[in-house]
């Protein structure tokens, strides 16, 4: 049978492992937060906020899925293969070969790859942070900016890589910036709860924190 998105989704949600259990917990938490915000916060119970939540959740799930093939401690799903043949090291190698800006290629080849196990946890942690931010709707402005910077790195780094379509990364870059600019966390997310509670008592610190959400 040819693969299809419905079968792939079923496999993704039922694959044994700790990462699947954590993902289910994130999904349940997101649904619980959305249900609470829908009932308790005036103005949240609308199709607009429901649609924003759904889009944010799906893209957050995409970020989570993309972290699974670069799990620590080897940052690859095929640790039996030689270093650089699979996983995060392989894609970093592509950035070093095909970056649109020579300075980026030099940085990857001369600094990142020789110190791979120093940079790999940062990349993995940033992706997980973006995934959790989007799924739960917590500090989505920050998560959106972090995600946009990561996508910008991929867009420029893989711009001339074979079998890559640069517009894919550019569209995702615009999407992450939209999440940040339009406060998508305020649609049935933790950010909506924070803004609602912080807005009840105006102080400079509360106003700044609410603006960050």
């Amino acid at each position: 049978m040819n693969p299809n998105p419905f079968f792939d989704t079923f496999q993704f949600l039922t694959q044994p492992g700790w990462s699947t259990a954590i993902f289910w917990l994130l999904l349940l938490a997101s649904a619980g937060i959305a249900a609470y915000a829908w009932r308790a916060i005036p103005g949240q119970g609308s199709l607009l906020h429901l649609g924003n939540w759904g889009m944010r959740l799906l893209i957050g799930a995409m970020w989570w899925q993309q972290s699974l093939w670069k799990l620590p401690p080897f940052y690859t799903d095929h640790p039996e293969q030689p270093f650089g043949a699979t996983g995060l090291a392989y894609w970093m190698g592509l950035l070093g070969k095909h970056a649109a800006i020579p300075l980026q290629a030099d940085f990857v080849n001369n600094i990142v790859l020789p110190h791979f196990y120093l940079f790999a946890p940062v990349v993995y942690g940033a992706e997980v942070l973006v995934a959790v931010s989007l799924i739960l709707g917590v500090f989505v402005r920050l998560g959106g900016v972090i995600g946009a910077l990561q996508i910008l790195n991929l867009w420029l780094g893989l711009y001339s890589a074979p079998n890559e379509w640069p517009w894919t990364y550019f569209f995702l870059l615009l999407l992450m910036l939209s999440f940040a600019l339009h406060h998508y966390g305020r649609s049935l997310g933790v950010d909506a709860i924070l803004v609602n509670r912080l807005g009840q008592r105006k102080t400079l610190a509360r106003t700044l924190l609410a603006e960050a959400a």
Side-chain angles (χ1 to χ4, degrees):
M1 183 176 67
N2 290 331
N4 61 74
F6 307 104
F7 180 73
D8 285 348
T9 300
F10 176 78
Q11 280 194 316
F12 177 63
L13 294 174
T14 57
Q15 183 177 1
W18 63 267
S19 59
T20 304
I22 293 178
F23 183 65
W24 271 106
L25 289 175
L26 289 171
L27 290 180
L28 293 173
S30 182
I33 292 165
Y36 171 81
W38 180 282
R39 293 195 309 266
I41 302 176
Q44 286 286 304
S46 70
L47 289 178
L48 173 63
H49 286 299
L50 186 64
N52 289 345
W53 170 71
M55 288 187 288
R56 173 169 54 75
L57 177 64
L58 288 174
I59 299 302
M62 183 275 296
W63 278 94
W64 179 266
Q65 182 189 43
Q66 290 305 301
S67 73
L68 299 181
W69 55 265
K70 56 174 77 72
L71 293 174
F74 302 109
Y75 302 98
T76 175
D77 50 354
H78 292 286
E80 75 281 358
Q81 296 293 323
F83 178 81
T86 63
L88 183 58
Y90 169 77
W91 286 97
M92 285 185 172
L94 287 183
L95 263 67
K97 295 177 182 177
H98 302 288
I101 300 174
L103 182 62
Q104 182 185 14
D106 291 341
F107 179 75
V108 171
N109 291 326
N110 300 323
I111 297 179
V112 175
L113 284 174
H115 304 91
F116 174 77
Y117 289 104
L118 179 64
F119 286 91
V122 177
V123 174
Y124 170 76
E127 291 195 11
V128 171
L129 178 66
V130 173
V132 172
S133 173
L134 294 180
I135 292 172
L136 300 183
V138 56
F139 293 114
V140 169
R141 300 200 87 181
L142 176 62
V145 170
I146 293 174
L149 291 174
Q150 290 179 280
I151 297 300
L152 178 64
N153 179 61
L154 291 176
W155 177 53
L156 295 175
L158 299 175
Y159 193 80
S160 61
N163 302 317
E164 290 287 341
W165 190 43
W167 279 106
T168 300
Y169 300 104
F170 191 74
F171 289 145
L172 188 54
L173 170 64
L174 295 180
L175 184 60
M176 296 306 300
L177 290 176
S178 294
F179 286 161
L181 290 172
H182 297 289
H183 299 277
Y184 266 60
R186 297 186 186 184
S187 291
L188 304 178
V190 173
D191 288 350
I193 300 172
L194 286 174
V195 169
N196 181 63
R197 294 186 177 180
L198 292 173
Q200 295 174 1
R201 183 178 178 183
K202 296 286 186 179
T203 66
L204 178 59
R206 287 170 179 263
T207 301
L208 292 175
L209 184 59
E211 185 60 29

